[in-house]
């Protein structure tokens, strides 16, 4: 555990608009993480970016003080102006060793989420890890960490009522939307076909909304969502020429720049002057502030959902205590698992060495004697040697594990 570190920027210490400047788009993630691994002594790393947090989980022997975090952000090459760099350094949360592990477990169980009890965060962390694993940024140690993260979160969600009557940022946004009493045939533009918009679209579809136009960079994803909603699919670039009007825009993309500018919004209005609804669940926001300030808009964003989320935490206080106990037990268990794995790694050369000794004995030291034996005798010898080989491999492993258990 002594090398696990987390650098975290979350809604607890920084406003979400500023947090958006740290979001890394999928297209540049690999190159930025490669920069980190080439410039800093970081052996394994993965990046978590959600609607209320940006975190880097990694392994390093270095002390993660302010100097290290400054180098880390510089190497990421985010193009941050000096004033933002200072703001982020003042707002960063750094976790080391067991504290880092505890933080990762709490996060996966939604105890650190804007909305305590929402299960989406576990899926988001798993997906973030798997993307970086598939790109070669993580190894065996992080694999073990993530196995324990998933196990712990599942136990918390199963054995506590923390997710009873579950809420999420998506469901809170839908509640706000529902309060506006839109008619079932409201013209709804969905920009982005990722998980967040898929989830909010399911709420809308379930409650009989039926007039959807879906825009996405990858047209096939828009088409898949449009098929579920019986709507129309368009590539994202088609927003520029869309002239059918709208009543509601729901947007959540991975773009690091605003999608809906004043110029585009004016085109989408197509001359209409009534009050519109915008649900912007992207971090950073997909809608430029000028659109909100200069038009008649009901604006729903993640930041505006914080008060509802705070009440949600108060309602779940007793379940938080139970969840903390489950996390603590899993941390204790993991130390034993980690020790056992270290023994396995330390002894992984044993089977190869024993096979070498066996082959040397048969084909070298005793080759002449064995060549004079009849077929039946050689067969018996081979069986004896194979039996001994298995025992010489398994017995040291069993003994080492017994020693470990007794020490614990």
């Amino acid at each position: 555990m002594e090398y696990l570190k987390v650098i975290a920027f979350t809604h607890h210490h920084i406003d979400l608009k500023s947090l958006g400047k740290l979001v890394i788009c999928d297209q540049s993630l690999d190159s930025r993480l490669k920069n980190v691994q080439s410039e800093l002594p970081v052996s394994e790393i993965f990046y978590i970016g959600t609607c209320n947090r940006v975190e880097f989980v990694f392994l390093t022997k270095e002390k993660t003080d302010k100097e290290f975090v400054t180098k880390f952000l510089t190497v990421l090459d985010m193009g941050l102006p000096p004033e933002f760099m200072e703001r982020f350094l003042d707002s960063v949360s750094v976790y080391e060793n067991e504290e880092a592990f505890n933080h990762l477990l709490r996060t996966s169980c939604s105890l650190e989420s804007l909305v305590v009890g929402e299960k989406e965060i576990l899926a988001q962390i798993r997906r973030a890890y798997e993307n970086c694993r598939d790109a070669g940024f993580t190894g065996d140690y992080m694999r073990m960490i993530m196995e324990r993260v998933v196990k712990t979160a599942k136990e918390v969600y199963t054995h506590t009522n923390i997710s009873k009557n579950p809420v999420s940022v998506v469901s809170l946004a839908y509640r706000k939307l529902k309060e506006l009493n839109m008619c079932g045939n409201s013209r709804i533009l969905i920009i982005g076909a990722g998980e967040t918009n898929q989830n909010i679209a399911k709420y809308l579809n379930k409650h009989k909304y039926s007039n959807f136009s879906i825009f996405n960079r990858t047209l096939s994803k828009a088409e898949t969502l449009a098929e579920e909603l019986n709507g129309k699919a368009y590539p994202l670039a088609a927003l520029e020429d869309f002239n059918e009007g709208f009543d509601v825009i729901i947007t959540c993309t991975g773009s690091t720049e605003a999608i809906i500018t004043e110029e585009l919004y004016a085109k989408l209005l197509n001359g209409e002057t009534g009050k519109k609804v915008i649900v912007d669940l992207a971090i950073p926001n997909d809608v430029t502030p000028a659109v909100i300030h200069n038009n008649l808009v009901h604006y729903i964003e993640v930041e505006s959902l914080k008060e509802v989320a705070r009440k949600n935490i108060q309602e779940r206080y007793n379940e938080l205590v139970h969840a903390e106990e489950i996390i603590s037990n899993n941390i204790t268990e993991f130390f034993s698992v980690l020790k056992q794995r270290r023994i396995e790694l330390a002894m992984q050369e044993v089977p190869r060495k024993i096979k070498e000794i066996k082959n040397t004995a048969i084909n070298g030291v005793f080759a002449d004697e064995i060549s004079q034996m009849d077929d039946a005798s050689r067969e018996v010898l081979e069986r004896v040697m194979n039996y001994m080989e298995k025992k010489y491999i398994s017995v040291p492993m069993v003994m080492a594990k017994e020693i470990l258990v007794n020490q614990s």
Side-chain angles (χ1 to χ4, degrees):
M1 290 301 299
E2 64 269 25
Y3 299 147
L4 181 65
K5 310 293 172 70
V6 176
I7 292 176
F9 303 90
T10 74
H11 63 96
H12 294 298
H13 303 295
I14 192 168
D15 67 277
L16 297 180
K17 286 184 173 63
S18 296
L19 186 64
K21 295 186 180 298
L22 286 171
V23 172
I24 302 176
C25 66
D26 292 342
Q27 292 82 358
S28 66
L29 179 59
D30 282 12
S31 63
R32 295 188 191 282
L33 295 187
K34 283 177 183 174
N35 283 350
V36 170
Q37 288 193 319
S38 64
E39 298 292 331
L40 298 172
V42 170
S43 57
E44 301 184 35
I45 185 170
F46 73 95
Y47 158 85
I48 303 168
T50 74
C51 61
N52 51 51
R53 69 181 60 253
V54 167
E55 302 199 11
F56 299 90
V57 184
F58 57 98
L59 304 180
T60 184
K61 296 180 182 180
E62 296 291 302
K63 182 173 177 59
T64 41
D65 52 16
K66 184 174 182 179
E67 181 182 357
F68 181 91
V69 177
T70 303
K71 285 182 184 176
F72 191 96
L73 291 178
T74 302
V75 167
L76 276 174
D77 192 24
M78 302 292 288
L80 297 173
E83 63 271 20
F84 274 102
M85 178 69 85
E86 283 303 316
R87 184 185 303 178
F88 289 132
L89 290 172
D90 290 340
S91 306
V92 68
S93 297
V94 178
Y95 305 92
E96 296 188 331
N97 312 327
E98 185 175 339
E99 186 183 28
F101 191 38
N102 182 58
H103 168 76
L104 193 54
L105 293 177
R106 285 177 55 84
T107 301
S108 71
C109 298
S110 82
L111 305 195
E112 297 288 342
S113 293
L114 181 63
V115 181
V116 173
E118 57 94 5
K119 294 182 179 181
E120 291 174 18
I121 184 62
L122 176 59
Q124 290 168 332
I125 291 175
R126 287 181 74 172
R127 190 162 50 250
Y129 161 72
E130 287 165 1
N131 288 341
C132 290
R133 177 200 64 195
D134 294 345
F137 291 111
T138 67
D140 188 63
Y141 193 101
M142 207 66 83
R143 174 191 62 78
M144 294 182 64
I145 292 285
M146 284 306 302
E147 285 178 356
R148 183 60 53 162
V149 163
V150 172
K151 175 182 179 293
T152 304
K154 287 182 175 178
E155 287 179 9
V156 167
Y157 293 133
T158 301
H159 300 301
T160 75
N161 289 322
I162 201 166
S163 58
K164 187 178 181 181
N165 300 320
V167 291
S168 64
V169 169
V170 168
S171 63
L172 291 179
Y174 176 72
R175 290 181 194 180
K176 289 264 191 180
L177 199 56
K178 191 176 179 183
E179 290 171 5
L180 300 177
N181 296 315
M182 303 180 308
C183 68
N185 198 40
S186 295
R187 299 163 296 172
I188 302 174
L189 306 189
I190 296 179
I191 303 173
E195 184 178 4
T196 298
N197 277 355
Q198 289 173 27
N199 289 338
I200 200 166
K202 288 174 184 174
Y203 279 101
L204 293 165
N205 195 30
K206 180 179 177 182
H207 291 87
K208 308 305 180 185
Y209 292 96
S210 58
N211 192 345
F212 297 98
S213 299
I214 298 94
F215 298 81
N216 195 65
R217 278 195 175 86
T218 305
L219 180 59
S220 60
K221 289 186 177 181
E223 289 171 339
T224 299
L225 184 55
E227 186 175 347
E228 291 179 20
L229 300 174
N230 196 27
K232 298 177 182 177
Y234 303 88
L236 186 61
L239 269 174
E240 288 281 347
D241 303 312
F242 188 77
N243 59 7
E244 297 178 26
F246 70 95
D247 301 298
V248 181
I249 291 176
I250 298 172
T251 183
C252 185
T253 73
S255 174
T256 54
E257 302 292 336
I259 296 289
I260 303 175
T261 61
E262 275 197 284
E263 181 182 1
L264 176 58
Y265 189 75
K267 289 181 181 178
L268 293 173
L269 283 173
N270 200 30
E272 296 179 15
T273 57
K275 195 167 190 177
K276 305 296 182 181
V277 178
I278 298 179
V279 180
D280 186 353
L281 299 182
I283 298 294
N285 290 142
D286 280 338
V287 183
T288 58
V291 169
I292 312 306
H293 295 151
N294 300 331
N295 295 275
L296 290 173
V297 173
H298 286 291
Y299 187 51
I300 301 168
E301 60 169 339
V302 175
E303 190 78 35
S304 67
L305 304 175
K306 278 189 172 181
E307 183 55 37
V308 183
R310 273 192 285 270
K311 293 178 182 176
N312 171 63
I313 292 176
Q314 293 171 358
E315 292 168 2
R316 284 167 164 72
Y317 178 76
N318 290 334
E319 300 308 313
L320 289 175
V321 175
H322 189 185
E324 293 278 12
E325 291 174 358
I326 293 173
I327 289 171
S328 178
N329 290 338
N330 270 279
I331 290 174
T332 301
E333 286 178 14
F334 183 74
F335 283 131
S336 294
V337 173
L338 187 59
K339 287 179 182 178
Q340 182 173 315
R341 180 58 177 160
R342 283 175 174 165
I343 289 174
E344 290 173 355
L345 292 174
M347 300 187 70
Q348 65 184 358
E349 283 293 293
V350 171
R352 187 179 65 80
K353 290 290 186 183
I354 289 174
K355 286 181 185 295
E356 284 181 2
I357 293 170
K358 172 190 162 186
N359 289 333
T360 300
I362 293 174
N363 300 314
V365 179
F366 300 104
D368 291 341
E369 291 90 334
I370 292 173
S371 67
Q372 297 174 21
M373 297 170 66
D374 58 47
D375 291 345
S377 298
R378 276 199 296 269
E379 184 180 342
V380 171
L381 178 62
E382 184 69 24
R383 286 165 54 196
V384 170
M385 293 294 286
N386 288 340
Y387 175 82
M388 296 294 289
E389 178 185 343
K390 290 178 182 177
K391 289 301 180 182
Y392 279 128
I393 291 172
S394 63
V395 169
M397 294 293 293
V398 171
M399 292 179 66
K401 289 177 182 178
E402 286 176 352
I403 292 170
L404 179 63
V405 170
N406 292 334
Q407 285 180 343
S408 299

